[in-house]
């Protein structure tokens, strides 16, 4: 009751602000109501429901679609286990030790399942597509961009002039070039410089292009974390008898990476969203599937349904990545020390 009285008094003292606030609330309410009515009543979701296998795996052979479906399912389960596991170890201490290795193993597992190998029939990368290709591009590019970015950040902070200047030149060059230009170079121009006998598949070229581009931004994020570590940390490490390399590896770099987690999360989310650019260069990832379906005469005019569905998928996976990063940040040891 007191809150309502306070709001009433505030409204009488500031009538213009109150009117504007009520108009904004009414506009938001109308937008939510109109959107909900369209989703439930007016939209035709047959373009989504009848093509769910295509959204997930693209033109992957129908008899082998269980392979990308299995990988995406394992990723989903691993994400839920990571988010829902107890904060404190206790009897589940083994789970905390196993989860990082499970995440690391998802990349070679995805490559093995999609590409085939020892006991699985080989499937060329031109048949990969849909959500599984989007997630694979993101995971492989991020796994490659992080170590390269860390090395670039260390190189830019190095006392060696050649290493420092070359790292700075690479970072400035990549940040000055649009991503689509880097992808175009990776997809269309790199094969022209290779011998005729050597052929790199399009997925690998896309991964390398994404990683080289993202590494420049990762380097700046890590460099910001390195600069935030006080010099007393390295002085204390030296007093304990640690060498400069040991001090960097055991004291400075772990703290810098923890500080950089929010910025690195933004880079990972941006990387997931930027994979949609590959639809312009021939790889049929998630957005490419939507574009190909809209070219089907049976689904002409269903643009809004397709893009709302794709927007919902991107939102769901970007939110999951943000929650995972928040969980990692919360579980990391506090700055300046380690948890017992």
């Amino acid at each position: 009751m007191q809150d309502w009285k306070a709001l009433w008094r505030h409204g009488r003292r500031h009538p213009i602000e109150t009117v504007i606030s009520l108009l904004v609330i009414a506009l938001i309410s109308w937008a939510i109501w109109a959107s909900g009515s369209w989703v439930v009543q007016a939209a035709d979701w047959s373009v989504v429901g009848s093509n769910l296998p295509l959204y997930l795996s693209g033109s992957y052979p129908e008899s082998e679609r269980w392979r990308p479906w299995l990988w995406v399912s394992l990723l989903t389960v691993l994400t839920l286990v990571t988010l829902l596991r107890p904060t404190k170890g206790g009897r589940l201490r083994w789970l905390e030790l196993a989860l990082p290795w499970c995440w690391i193993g998802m990349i070679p597992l995805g490559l093995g399942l999609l590409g085939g190998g020892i006991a699985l029939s080989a499937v060329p990368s031109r048949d990969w597509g849909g959500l599984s290709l989007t997630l694979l591009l993101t995971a492989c590019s991020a796994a490659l961009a992080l170590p390269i970015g860390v090395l670039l950040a260390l190189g830019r902070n190095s006392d060696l002039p050649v290493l420092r200047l070359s790292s700075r030149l690479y970072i400035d060059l990549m940040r000055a070039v649009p991503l689509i230009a880097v992808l175009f170079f990776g997809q269309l121009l790199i094969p022209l410089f290779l011998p005729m006998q050597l052929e790199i598949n399009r997925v690998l070229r896309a991964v390398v292009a994404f990683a080289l581009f993202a590494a420049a931004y990762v380097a700046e994020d890590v460099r910001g974390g390195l600069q935030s570590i006080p010099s007393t940390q390295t002085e204390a490490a030296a007093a304990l008898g640690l060498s400069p390399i040991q001090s960097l590896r055991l004291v400075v770099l772990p703290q810098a990476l923890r500080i950089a987690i929010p910025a690195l999360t933004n880079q990972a989310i941006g990387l997931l969203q930027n994979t949609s650019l590959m639809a312009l260069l021939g790889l049929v990832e998630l957005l490419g599937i939507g574009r190909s379906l809209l070219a089907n005469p049976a689904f002409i005019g269903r643009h809004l349904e397709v893009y709302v569905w794709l927007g919902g998928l991107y939102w769901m996976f970007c939110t999951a990545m943000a929650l995972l990063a928040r969980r990692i940040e919360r579980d990391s040891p506090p700055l300046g020390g380690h948890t017992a």
Side-chain angles (χ1 to χ4, degrees):
M1 183 64 68
Q2 293 179 354
D3 294 338
W4 286 106
K5 290 181 179 180
L7 289 173
W8 174 254
R9 288 195 298 268
H10 179 80
R12 294 181 61 184
R13 293 174 184 172
H14 307 279
I16 297 179
E17 293 182 6
T18 302
V19 172
I20 294 175
S21 299
L22 292 175
L23 289 175
V24 171
I25 293 174
L27 182 61
I28 293 174
S29 301
W30 172 82
I32 294 175
W33 173 261
S35 301
S37 300
W38 176 83
V39 168
V40 175
Q41 299 177 359
D44 181 8
W45 296 108
S46 60
V47 65
V48 175
S50 59
N51 295 291
L52 283 177
L54 288 177
Y55 282 111
L56 184 60
S57 55
S59 58
Y60 208 83
E62 187 172 355
S63 60
E64 302 291 334
R65 281 180 179 171
W66 63 270
R67 289 152 58 174
W69 294 2
L70 174 62
W71 187 64
V72 174
S73 300
L74 290 175
L75 271 178
T76 304
V77 171
L78 189 58
T79 300
L80 293 175
V81 170
T82 304
L83 293 176
L84 299 179
R85 67 183 175 87
T87 304
K88 299 298 180 181
R91 290 179 299 176
L92 297 179
R93 181 68 177 175
W94 62 271
L95 186 60
E96 296 183 7
L97 300 175
L99 278 177
W101 294 105
C102 291
W103 279 108
I104 294 173
M106 290 306 295
I107 294 178
L109 177 62
L111 291 173
L113 284 175
L114 269 68
I118 302 174
L120 299 173
S121 59
V123 177
S125 59
R126 63 176 178 271
D127 292 333
W128 304 1
L131 178 61
S132 57
L133 179 59
T134 294
L135 296 178
L136 188 66
L137 285 174
T138 304
C140 294
S141 302
L144 189 59
L146 181 59
I148 296 176
V150 171
L151 292 176
L152 287 172
L154 295 177
R156 187 158 183 179
N157 282 352
S158 174
D159 295 329
L160 299 176
V162 175
L163 186 58
R164 183 174 65 251
L165 292 176
S166 59
S167 299
R168 181 176 179 178
L169 179 63
Y170 177 87
I171 293 171
D172 292 341
L173 177 64
M174 278 298 178
R175 294 173 68 190
V177 177
L179 175 57
I180 188 64
V182 178
L183 295 176
F184 179 83
F185 180 83
Q187 287 294 310
L188 303 179
L189 297 183
I190 285 181
L192 300 179
F193 297 96
L194 296 177
M196 293 293 295
Q197 308 89 323
L198 182 60
E199 181 180 358
I200 302 177
N201 68 64
R202 300 166 70 184
V203 174
L204 179 57
R205 280 180 270 162
V207 167
V208 172
F210 273 119
L212 293 179
F213 182 84
Y217 293 86
V218 170
E220 289 298 280
D221 296 334
V222 175
R223 187 170 70 94
L226 291 171
Q227 290 179 341
S228 66
I229 305 300
S231 60
T232 53
Q233 294 283 323
T234 55
E235 294 171 359
L240 293 174
L242 297 180
S243 66
I245 295 180
Q246 290 176 325
S247 174
L248 177 66
R249 182 171 62 88
L250 300 176
V251 179
V252 177
L253 195 56
Q255 297 183 72
L257 290 177
R258 185 182 187 276
I259 293 173
I261 284 177
L264 294 176
T265 304
N266 288 337
Q267 297 299 334
I269 291 175
L271 192 59
L272 173 64
Q273 296 169 348
N274 287 334
T275 56
S276 59
L277 293 174
M278 294 309 302
L280 304 177
L281 297 175
L283 277 182
V284 191
E285 43 67 67
L286 196 55
L287 181 62
I289 292 294
R291 289 163 58 94
S292 63
L293 289 176
L294 291 175
N296 188 338
F299 302 116
I300 290 178
R302 301 270 69 91
H303 293 76
L304 195 53
E305 287 86 347
V306 168
Y307 288 122
V308 167
W309 163 249
L310 293 179
L313 284 179
Y314 278 110
W315 173 83
M316 182 175 64
F317 283 97
C318 290
T319 302
M321 293 172 67
L323 292 175
L324 285 172
R326 190 177 306 169
R327 184 61 189 259
I328 293 173
E329 188 175 8
R330 187 170 64 246
D331 293 348
S332 299
L335 296 181
H338 300 275
T339 56

